[in-house]
Amino acid sequence: MQNVRRPETMARITNIELANAFIDEQVAEIRKQVGDKKVLLALSGGVDSSVVAALLIKAIGKQLVCVHVNHGLMRKGESEQVINVFGKELDANLVYIDATDRFLDLLKGEADPEKKRKIIGGEFIKVFDEEASKLEGISFLAQGTIYPDILESKGVKAHHNVGGLPEDMQFELVEPVRLLYKDEVRVVGDALGLPHNMVYRQPFPGPGLGVRCLGAITRDRLHALREADAILREEFDNYGLAGKVWQYFISIPDMKSVGVRNDMRYEGWPAIIRAVNTSDAMTATIEEIPYELLHKITARITSEVEGINRVLYDLTPKPTGTIEWE
Ligand code: XMP
């Protein structure tokens, strides 16, 4: 990460005209910095790396090589969206690695949250490194560093950045959005024509569903989690809450309870809903989800998702609860 300061005279990018001016300026700057050399980017599909990818594609086209590592812990449809948007629509040079088995095999039996994070972060670097070493003639590494990352690099974020890349990579950095705040990155993403749900995506932890499939991850519980989470997002969308609530997701603990389904005893996991509002993620309040929506989500999850027999709503603000359960 380059340690730079945002000039006090720099106007906040709040509309498409300002975004377009920023894009033109960055395209010229990227071309000047990179020349005819190649740039590598770890593309997670999150807002920041997606906007950086779109900017670089506009500036240098196929000289950018995007690597998307699917660690098997993505939300439903997210890796597919990366392939569709970048591989197909934008015709980018995209290397897609499905490393699901590698990650899940390593995580097998590991219930300790910190160890799980370390395994996921460490393996991510390994997979990315392996792919990078297969590519020839790469001179630059692009990163979706944004201004709060620079401001907070010694704070909470450093501990969170388990998906970060090794410090010793021998590349010069390209960080075109490093002076922008998140809301500005989104305006730029809109101006670049990225899909709305990508630009306004909720924050998603680097270790992904790995910290929401609580305790030792199993493939069947992870599958149930992904399906239940997709239903929650769909119903929030239908109810008009998608853009209003800051972050919402499902976690599933490693425990079963007795239930009944089709007149038969049905032991299953509980799906725990979390829906919070915050401005900086340091503290958070609970969204008051209307009961009719909670009932609908409960009915859908318990009837559509194999393995789940109860739905719970976590009413704990931060503090005392962190936003994620692990
Ligand atoms: P907590 O659980 O600490 O989360 O209240 C605060 C915010 O950070 C997100 N989070 C992460 N983000 N890598 C990330 O990039 C991580 O390892 C990570 N862990 C938590 C969390 O989703 C919430 O938005």
Side-chain angles (χ1 to χ4, degrees):
M1 190 190 301
Q2 295 156 297
N3 203 356
V4 284
R5 276 185 79 90
R6 180 175 168 126
E8 274 170 27
T9 50
M10 187 171 155
R12 193 91 173 193
I13 301 171
T14 50
N15 59 41
I16 186 140
E17 288 77 27
L18 292 168
N20 282 333
F22 173 84
I23 293 166
D24 290 345
E25 185 190 297
Q26 284 306 316
V27 164
E29 203 158 301
I30 292 165
R31 286 185 183 147
K32 192 164 136 225
Q33 183 187 6
V34 170
D36 59 1
K37 303 267 174 31
K38 284 194 195 163
V39 182
L40 179 64
L41 169 72
L43 177 59
S44 68
V47 185
D48 307 333
S49 66
S50 296
V51 169
V52 167
L55 258 176
L56 280 150
I57 291 164
K58 198 173 168 82
I60 56 168
K62 301 258 179 181
Q63 284 164 252
L64 173 72
V65 183
C66 302
V67 175
H68 177 66
V69 178
N70 178 356
H71 49 24
L73 303 164
M74 304 291 285
R75 287 180 131 173
K76 189 171 180 173
E78 285 188 335
S79 282
E80 292 79 355
Q81 187 179 38
V82 168
I83 294 169
N84 272 331
V85 171
F86 293 98
K88 300 193 178 144
E89 287 169 28
L90 296 177
D91 193 28
N93 215 337
L94 173 70
V95 180
Y96 170 68
I97 317 287
D98 184 354
T100 303
D101 288 337
R102 278 179 70 158
F103 281 84
L104 295 189
D105 288 350
L106 273 177
L107 286 162
K108 207 169 185 172
E110 184 54 71
D112 181 78
E114 285 307 305
K115 287 192 185 142
K116 284 168 71 180
R117 277 173 187 273
K118 286 211 174 85
I119 290 171
I120 297 167
E123 193 61 11
F124 181 88
I125 290 173
K126 237 166 123 182
V127 174
F128 187 77
D129 244 354
E130 281 171 22
E131 286 312 309
S133 65
K134 286 186 206 160
L135 301 165
E136 288 189 358
I138 303 282
S139 311
F140 295 89
L141 182 71
Q143 285 191 325
T145 308
I146 64 172
Y147 202 47
D149 298 337
I150 294 174
L151 296 177
E152 295 162 15
S153 60
K154 288 192 177 59
V156 179
K157 211 45 200 271
H159 143 83
H160 272 161
N161 268 342
V162 290
L165 297 171
E167 292 285 320
D168 61 355
M169 275 199 158
Q170 297 299 310
F171 301 119
E172 191 181 317
L173 292 179
V174 180
E175 297 182 309
V177 297
R178 67 181 182 275
L179 292 182
L180 304 192
Y181 289 98
K182 195 79 166 192
D183 53 297
E184 298 178 285
V185 177
R186 292 198 157 115
V187 179
V188 171
D190 264 340
L192 284 163
L194 288 173
H196 186 85
N197 68 348
M198 190 172 244
V199 172
Y200 290 89
R201 211 173 89 136
Q202 299 174 50
F204 187 56
L209 299 183
V211 294
R212 297 176 182 171
C213 190
L214 308 176
I217 298 168
T218 56
R219 288 177 192 246
D220 53 355
R221 193 154 50 89
L222 179 62
H223 178 73
L225 166 61
R226 184 174 286 121
E227 294 300 318
D229 182 67
I231 291 173
L232 177 79
R233 284 191 289 153
E234 201 179 306
E235 290 303 328
F236 263 51
D237 223 349
N238 292 342
Y239 209 86
L241 284 178
K244 192 177 151 254
V245 183
W246 197 79
Q247 193 173 14
Y248 47 96
F249 55 87
I250 299 280
S251 292
I252 301 192
D254 185 12
M255 63 156 293
K256 284 190 170 178
S257 68
V258 175
V260 59
R261 200 186 228 183
N262 300 329
D263 297 329
M264 301 277 285
R265 181 186 169 100
Y266 187 76
E267 289 185 12
W269 305 290
I272 303 165
I273 301 173
R274 190 115 174 96
V276 298
N277 291 306
T278 176
S279 52
D280 59 6
M282 302 298 283
T283 61
T285 56
I286 299 305
E287 172 70 18
E288 301 204 353
I289 306 177
Y291 262 81
E292 59 170 346
L293 179 59
L294 281 172
H295 285 306
K296 178 141 192 239
I297 292 166
T298 304
R300 279 200 61 195
I301 291 179
T302 50
S303 68
E304 292 175 34
V305 183
E306 188 58 38
I308 295 183
N309 66 353
R310 289 173 198 264
V311 175
L312 316 179
Y313 188 24
D314 180 357
L315 289 174
T316 322
K318 176 181 182 178
T320 55
T322 45
I323 294 176
E324 302 292 343
W325 271 55
E326 285 189 342

